[in-house]
Amino acid sequence: MAAYRLALMGVGVIAKAQHFPAIAANPAFDLVALASRAPVSYQGLPQFGDLDALLRDGPEFDALVLCTPPQGRADLVRRALAAGKHVLMEKPPTPSVSEALTLAPAAEAAGRVLFATWHSRFNRGVAKAKELLAAETLVRLTVTWKEDVNRWHPGQEWVWHPGGFGVFDPTINAFSILTEIFPDRLTVAAADLDFPANRHTPIAARLTLADARSPKVDATVEVDWMQRGEQTWSIDVVTESGLALTLTHGGTKLWLGGQLVIDESDTEYPEIYTRFKTLLDEKRSEVDGSPLHLVADAFLIGKRHAVAPFDWDAA
Amino acid sequence: MAAYRLALMGVGVIAKAQHFPAIAANPAFDLVALASRAPVSYQGLPQFGDLDALLRDGPEFDALVLCTPPQGRADLVRRALAAGKHVLMEKPPTPSVSEALTLAPAAEAAGRVLFATWHSRFNRGVAKAKELLAAETLVRLTVTWKEDVNRWHPGQEWVWHPGGFGVFDPTINAFSILTEIFPDRLTVAAADLDFPANRHTPIAARLTLADARSPKVDATVEVDWMQRGEQTWSIDVVTESGLALTLTHGGTKLWLGGQLVIDESDTEYPEIYTRFKTLLDEKRSEVDGSPLHLVADAFLIGKRHAVAPFDWDAA
């Protein structure tokens, strides 16, 4: 059986923790090369300093897996497509809506498959929730996404720079779940954004959403990047028919009427590669920008509040 | 010859100044009813207070022309589509990216035609510029869009409210021209936004754009809402082959190498209705959100600066 040959670029935390094991576990894929600015070592694979060197001097491969930071990725995608490669992208695909928009037409023009992944969508609880809620009228939707930036991004100054998203870096995972479960219907109706006096991106936000299918829904999103102790990533839904559904732990646990019905961790990345094989077999791209659009809308229509300066915890 | 029967909702300045004469001049359309909150009178047409009353008590019609403010329009579009009507929308289609995204799928599901118009695109100089620049590599792109908010929006407080766009309300017209001439390639690389200390939206901005097709382009957008005296709406382009092209007066005048080659005012709205007839005949929707995406990106990645408070000119 001929497997798809992959090259992976951007060998950081997410590549090592998730992509390497998911690729190794999937017989449809062979990882044949790495590209990384810093020297790395993985199973004796040949390594190249950048995309040009990989394309020029590396082994033949079918698809490029991009785990580099989102800034500059659109350009890498275009160059890989031009070299005849399919592409899989870590989330978020790009730092801006307009860049995301250029990707699907570029893939179509090149006749290659482009897959912009949203890992949180691949939890099994998300698919089940989507199925259960497809025909439901929402009464209440409550998203609570509270984590500690010190723990997940220690010292990473870029998250506070213009374009760094701030607290919307984790929030976009919640949005990727919402837009999977409720496609083409959720919009940002209002937003309050808290900007630390010494930073350019928000540290907390409170949003009101609207639902095209359920005009009377009470839908709120509360996000905070200074949560100490237990971290919270939950989505609660109550419907007109009385269904009470809760996704917790970022979508890995699904509760129905208070009963835990799905409790599964870490299916995200294996499922991403299963989907990528399907897309490659069917020569079909999947580039959904809708989670990014909700982030952009929060900034576009948000009311800005100055709050206390942010300082990193002492290391 | 059977004409398409139109009902127009939102009888304000733009409806009276542009839509009424453009519809009257086009034999493909008959205006048969109006909907307006305030009493209006036009050619003895029947008038209704809102969309429900129009649909319930009004005459039969084929398409709804929406000239209401963008807030709340998505809901009106969905209700009109559900009633079997085609829809034409004034710009900008919606106040948010996510709302704009719900429109095309809604029209497709309803099997009706939806046309989100961008009037500045319909100047003849824009089509000519698009043709001349299609195969060109850009070296420099300079957009200057400077007007006086006191003159065009006297006392309209909503422009300063969250979601009111501020100076990006006029800037989106420039973006609608840019995205028509250069589809799928321009993105916002950086933005500086000046917020008056007493307002929630920017009064001026400086943007750097990137071009997927011309990575080395020097592309800037400078916009200001406090321009006194002459108002400036111009787009300058210099290409690698030496072409120097300028659109001034919002796209109504086209200059090539300093020579005025197209000088035509007011073809915008007649052309919009010509296009609408084509779309209706071909049962094809046109809903391009890309100008709105550039606005959202400016807010998403923009660096915020506090500037002097804004006060309206004394009336």
Side-chain angles (χ1 to χ4, degrees):
Chain A
M1 183 178 99
Y4 292 105
R5 294 161 300 180
L6 303 179
L8 184 147
M9 181 168 185
V11 187
V13 175
I14 199 71
K16 292 174 191 165
Q18 298 286 1
H19 290 264
F20 284 169
I23 293 168
N26 191 323
F29 296 102
D30 277 341
L31 187 60
V32 300
L34 302 176
S36 179
R37 212 169 293 180
V40 292
S41 168
Y42 179 71
Q43 297 194 335
L45 290 177
Q47 187 200 323
F48 304 87
D50 58 27
L51 181 58
D52 285 335
L54 170 67
L55 291 171
R56 189 183 57 232
D57 305 324
E60 278 295 309
F61 64 97
D62 305 293
L64 179 68
V65 174
L66 268 184
C67 300
T68 57
Q71 290 83 351
R73 264 212 221 130
D75 181 53
L76 295 171
V77 169
R78 278 189 293 271
R79 285 159 59 201
L81 291 171
K85 310 303 181 187
H86 307 291
V87 180
L88 179 151
M89 307 172 80
E90 247 300 333
K91 62 112 316 212
T94 58
S96 74
V97 172
S98 47
E99 272 192 308
L101 276 183
T102 66
L103 299 179
E108 197 182 337
R112 300 285 100 183
V113 171
L114 175 62
F115 182 22
T117 67
W118 296 102
H119 59 78
S120 298
R121 288 182 173 179
F122 290 89
N123 289 304
R124 218 160 287 179
V126 174
K128 185 70 182 169
K130 179 176 183 167
E131 180 194 322
L132 290 169
L133 292 168
E136 295 283 328
T137 300
L138 303 196
V139 171
R140 200 166 64 239
L141 170 64
T142 310
V143 178
T144 313
W145 224 254
K146 297 187 176 182
E147 62 179 60
D148 185 353
V149 64
N150 287 287
R151 181 160 153 195
W152 303 100
H153 296 273
Q156 294 176 19
E157 282 296 329
W158 63 269
V159 303
W160 302 114
H161 292 166
F165 282 20
V167 69
F168 286 94
D169 178 80
T171 304
I172 201 170
N173 293 325
F175 287 167
S176 76
I177 294 174
L178 291 179
T179 50
E180 170 69 13
I181 296 177
F182 308 110
D184 298 327
R185 55 191 278 195
L186 294 181
T187 62
V188 179
D192 286 275
L193 310 176
D194 294 344
F195 285 76
N198 60 342
R199 304 289 175 173
H200 288 289
T201 59
I203 193 168
R206 295 158 302 286
L207 281 66
T208 305
L209 303 183
D211 177 359
R213 293 254 303 270
S214 307
K216 290 180 182 166
V217 70
D218 169 16
T220 58
V221 178
E222 192 173 350
V223 297
D224 191 329
W225 227 2
M226 281 297 277
Q227 173 87 343
R228 306 303 185 162
E230 199 186 349
Q231 310 282 288
T232 307
W233 302 283
S234 69
I235 296 172
D236 281 277
V237 187
V238 176
T239 76
E240 209 171 65
S241 73
L243 187 67
L245 182 151
T246 300
L247 286 164
T248 64
H249 300 79
T252 59
K253 294 182 198 292
L254 174 67
W255 308 71
L256 282 176
Q259 297 284 327
L260 183 63
V261 295
I262 291 183
D263 183 1
E264 194 151 18
S265 56
D266 244 10
T267 60
E268 296 180 358
Y269 283 81
E271 291 295 329
I272 281 177
Y273 281 90
T274 300
R275 172 79 62 94
F276 192 36
K277 177 182 187 309
T278 302
L279 294 173
L280 288 168
D281 288 350
E282 299 178 357
K283 301 189 189 347
R284 189 162 54 85
S285 289
E286 187 175 302
V287 187
D288 180 13
S290 60
L292 184 59
H293 298 155
L294 290 174
V295 172
D297 283 342
F299 281 80
L300 179 60
I301 75 174
K303 189 167 177 174
R304 288 162 186 77
H305 308 275
V307 297
F310 168 83
D311 292 303
W312 296 103
D313 285 356
Chain B
M1 184 179 102
Y4 293 106
R5 293 162 299 180
L6 303 179
L8 185 147
M9 182 168 185
V11 186
V13 174
I14 199 70
K16 293 174 192 166
Q18 298 287 0
H19 290 264
F20 284 168
I23 293 168
N26 192 323
F29 296 102
D30 277 340
L31 187 59
V32 300
L34 302 175
S36 179
R37 213 169 292 182
V40 291
S41 166
Y42 179 70
Q43 299 193 334
L45 291 177
Q47 187 200 322
F48 304 87
D50 59 27
L51 182 58
D52 285 336
L54 170 67
L55 292 171
R56 188 182 58 231
D57 303 325
E60 277 296 309
F61 65 97
D62 304 293
L64 179 69
V65 173
L66 268 183
C67 299
T68 58
Q71 291 82 353
R73 264 213 220 130
D75 181 53
L76 295 171
V77 169
R78 279 189 293 271
R79 286 158 59 201
L81 291 170
K85 310 303 181 187
H86 307 291
V87 180
L88 180 152
M89 307 172 78
E90 246 302 329
K91 61 109 325 205
T94 58
S96 75
V97 172
S98 47
E99 273 193 307
L101 277 182
T102 65
L103 299 179
E108 197 183 336
R112 300 286 99 183
V113 170
L114 175 61
F115 182 22
T117 66
W118 296 101
H119 60 78
S120 299
R121 287 182 173 179
F122 289 89
N123 289 305
R124 218 161 287 179
V126 174
K128 186 68 183 172
K130 178 174 185 170
E131 181 195 321
L132 290 169
L133 293 167
E136 295 283 329
T137 299
L138 303 195
V139 171
R140 200 166 65 240
L141 170 63
T142 311
V143 178
T144 313
W145 224 255
K146 297 186 175 181
E147 61 179 61
D148 185 352
V149 64
N150 287 286
R151 182 162 152 193
W152 304 100
H153 296 274
Q156 295 176 18
E157 283 296 329
W158 64 268
V159 302
W160 302 113
H161 292 167
F165 282 20
V167 70
F168 287 94
D169 178 79
T171 304
I172 201 169
N173 293 325
F175 288 168
S176 75
I177 294 174
L178 291 179
T179 50
E180 169 69 14
I181 297 177
F182 308 111
D184 298 327
R185 53 191 280 194
L186 294 180
T187 62
V188 180
D192 287 275
L193 311 176
D194 295 343
F195 286 75
N198 60 342
R199 305 288 175 173
H200 288 289
T201 59
I203 194 168
R206 296 157 302 285
L207 282 66
T208 305
L209 303 183
D211 177 358
R213 292 252 304 269
S214 306
K216 290 181 181 164
V217 70
D218 169 15
T220 58
V221 178
E222 191 172 351
V223 298
D224 191 329
W225 227 1
M226 280 297 277
Q227 173 87 345
R228 306 302 184 162
E230 200 187 349
Q231 310 282 286
T232 307
W233 301 283
S234 69
I235 297 173
D236 281 277
V237 187
V238 176
T239 76
E240 208 170 65
S241 73
L243 188 66
L245 182 151
T246 301
L247 286 164
T248 64
H249 300 81
T252 58
K253 295 183 199 291
L254 174 68
W255 309 71
L256 281 177
Q259 296 285 328
L260 182 63
V261 295
I262 291 183
D263 182 0
E264 194 152 17
S265 57
D266 244 11
T267 59
E268 296 181 359
Y269 283 82
E271 291 295 328
I272 281 176
Y273 280 91
T274 300
R275 172 79 63 92
F276 192 36
K277 178 182 187 306
T278 302
L279 295 173
L280 289 168
D281 288 349
E282 299 178 359
K283 301 189 189 345
R284 189 162 54 86
S285 288
E286 187 175 303
V287 187
D288 180 14
S290 60
L292 184 58
H293 298 154
L294 289 173
V295 171
D297 283 343
F299 281 80
L300 178 61
I301 74 173
K303 189 167 179 176
R304 288 162 186 76
H305 308 275
V307 297
F310 168 83
D311 292 302
W312 297 102
D313 285 356

